[in-house]
Amino acid sequence: MSLNEFDLIRKFFMRSSQPEGNGVAHGIGDDCAILDVPDGFQLAVSTDTLVSGVHFFSDVDPYRLGVKSLAVNLSDLAAMGATAKWVSLAITVPKVDQNWLCEFSRGFFELAEKFKVSLVGGDTTKGPLSITISVKGIIPRDNALLRNNAVVGDKICVSGHLGNGALGLACKLHNKKINNPVSFVNALELTQPRIELGLLLRDFASSCIDISDGLIQDLQHILKQSQCSASINIDKLPLSPEMQEELALQTITSLESKQFALRGGDDYELLFTISQERLAQLKAQLAVSEMAKLPITEIGEITNASPPIVQLYEQGKPVFLPTQGWDHFN
Ligand code: ADP
Ligand code: MG
């Protein structure tokens, strides 16, 4: 039996239980949701659209799409140091495919539950497959991690490993033959937002951004807004053990691995600037936290050349490599 719009919403997107204490005064089912923002906090809001054929393959596994579409939005909250609270979901589907919707919502809610976000509303329409998600988080007043506070002398650091998502994309898009494509395609499709790290960085970092369009391109947003430049040591780029294995097997070249790390989007790691002193304190605190295994790598430094440029160094010598990342209109 086919479902109408409201049955569909009820069946796949309304959940009877919500994460505890989430301030949902009035949830799905009315014209608006009503949400309680605790005293002393500000609301952080971010929206991202994922379009079939642009952000994902039209035949992508719907469970993975559910995970990724929420994850990329939560990543923006992570980059601001926000605690994720609420999400709305506008979904356009070409037809009512119950198996597809069931799997999509399973992935979506799995991540929502993990990060204790409540789905509080949305829109459901028919048309070419596209997903627009708006996440809302809270931040103690005037405590957000912004892009405009990097200072000359700050260290430039990244979390996790870089380039895995880009290699995964190369496997899917260009059918690149490597030893272990599954691990890279997983990195591309099963994004994990760095929410906990963002919360911790609020007390340490001077600026922060999530790497969605490529390390250098995203770094340039910080440089422009903070009016400074950067030197990056490409020998320090944190390549995953899996990437190093591919290098050892010569399925990818060293130059390719650097290009994936410098220009590839889809890693959703955090890039942040931090004073040397605070970096030492951050590392000490991380070591005794649940994030003890998350690598934090210093890859460069903020310099004061203007206009904002990124100078790459290899073995201490300046090198010039293409650094452009993803741009929808270019
Ligand atoms: P309206 O006509 O006021 O736009 P709708 O009929 O589109 O409302 O939606 C009915 C209710 O279901 C609203 O509360 C809306 O926020 C919610 N809703 C619609 N689609 C979704 C969805 N995909 N996920 C979560 N909530 C949804
Ligand atoms: Mg509507």
Side-chain angles (χ1 to χ4, degrees), residues 38-75:
D39 286 345
F41 285 79
Q42 289 173 307
L43 195 60
V45 181
S46 177
T47 303
D48 266 313
T49 294
L50 284 87
V51 177
S52 177
V54 178
H55 299 92
F56 57 89
F57 297 91
S58 55
D59 61 349
V60 69
D61 174 49
Y63 166 85
R64 289 177 169 227
L65 184 61
V67 171
K68 179 153 183 174
S69 53
L70 180 54
V72 302
N73 277 273
L74 292 178
S75 178

Side-chain angles (χ1 to χ4, degrees), residues 259-299:
Q259 289 280 285
F260 290 137
L262 290 169
R263 304 175 68 185
D266 282 298
D267 284 320
Y268 295 93
E269 292 296 345
L270 295 184
L271 164 67
F272 57 95
T273 59
I274 184 169
S275 72
Q276 179 138 37
E277 192 191 353
R278 299 300 273 157
L279 177 56
Q281 295 166 350
L282 171 69
K283 287 193 165 172
Q285 192 144 336
L286 275 168
V288 295
S289 77
E290 283 179 0
M291 290 173 275
K293 291 211 177 93
L294 177 65
I296 298 292
T297 311
E298 183 186 325
I299 58 166

Side-chain angles (χ1 to χ4, degrees), residues 5-6 9 13 27-31 89-91 119-124:
E5 179 185 332
F6 304 100
I9 296 167
F13 298 113
I28 293 176
D30 213 319
D31 295 311
L89 165 67
I91 184 164
L119 179 62
V120 295
D123 205 15
T124 305

Side-chain angles (χ1 to χ4, degrees), residues 51-244:
V51 177
S52 177
V54 178
H55 299 92
F56 57 89
F57 297 91
S58 55
D59 61 349
V60 69
D61 174 49
Y63 166 85
R64 289 177 169 227
L65 184 61
V67 171
K68 179 153 183 174
S69 53
L70 180 54
V72 302
N73 277 273
L74 292 178
S75 178
D76 285 317
L77 291 182
M80 301 294 284
T83 303
K85 297 287 272 184
W86 307 295
V87 56
S88 47
L89 165 67
I91 184 164
T92 305
V93 285
K95 60 179 192 295
V96 178
D97 176 341
Q98 293 208 38
N99 288 334
W100 193 96
L101 285 162
C102 183
E103 281 298 287
F104 175 86
S105 68
R106 187 169 71 86
F108 182 94
F109 279 110
E110 204 168 283
L111 206 68
E113 273 152 33
K114 179 168 176 192
F115 289 99
K116 300 192 167 58
V117 261
S118 306
L119 179 62
V120 295
D123 205 15
T124 305
T125 49
K126 185 175 170 182
L129 180 61
S130 130
I131 292 148
T132 296
I133 288 182
S134 175
V135 283
K136 289 100 186 156
I138 57 170
I139 309 180
R141 180 166 294 281
D142 300 328
N143 249 317
L145 273 172
L146 307 178
R147 294 179 179 182
N148 64 3
N149 285 325
V151 183
V152 175
D154 277 353
K155 304 300 175 192
I156 299 170
C157 297
V158 290
S159 63
H161 299 116
L162 296 179
N164 286 352
L167 179 50
L169 186 64
C171 293
K172 291 210 76 165
L173 201 57
H174 306 303
N175 209 8
K176 188 166 178 62
K177 295 284 177 258
I178 59 171
N179 176 55
N180 182 9
V182 171
S183 130
F184 298 95
V185 171
N186 284 350
L188 174 71
E189 294 182 343
L190 295 172
T191 306
Q192 290 298 315
R194 298 288 184 208
I195 289 278
E196 299 94 341
L197 179 62
L199 293 179
L200 185 60
L201 287 180
R202 216 165 55 199
D203 294 332
F204 293 95
S206 52
S207 70
C208 185
I209 191 169
D210 64 322
I211 304 177
S212 55
D213 295 330
L215 165 67
I216 300 301
Q217 185 163 310
D218 287 323
L219 171 60
Q220 274 161 346
H221 295 304
I222 288 184
L223 301 182
K224 282 197 188 113
Q225 295 198 22
S226 302
Q227 305 204 347
C228 49
S229 287
S231 59
I232 295 291
N233 186 344
I234 63 176
D235 307 309
K236 295 266 184 69
L237 294 171
L239 304 180
S240 64
E242 293 81 6
M243 181 87 78
Q244 288 173 27

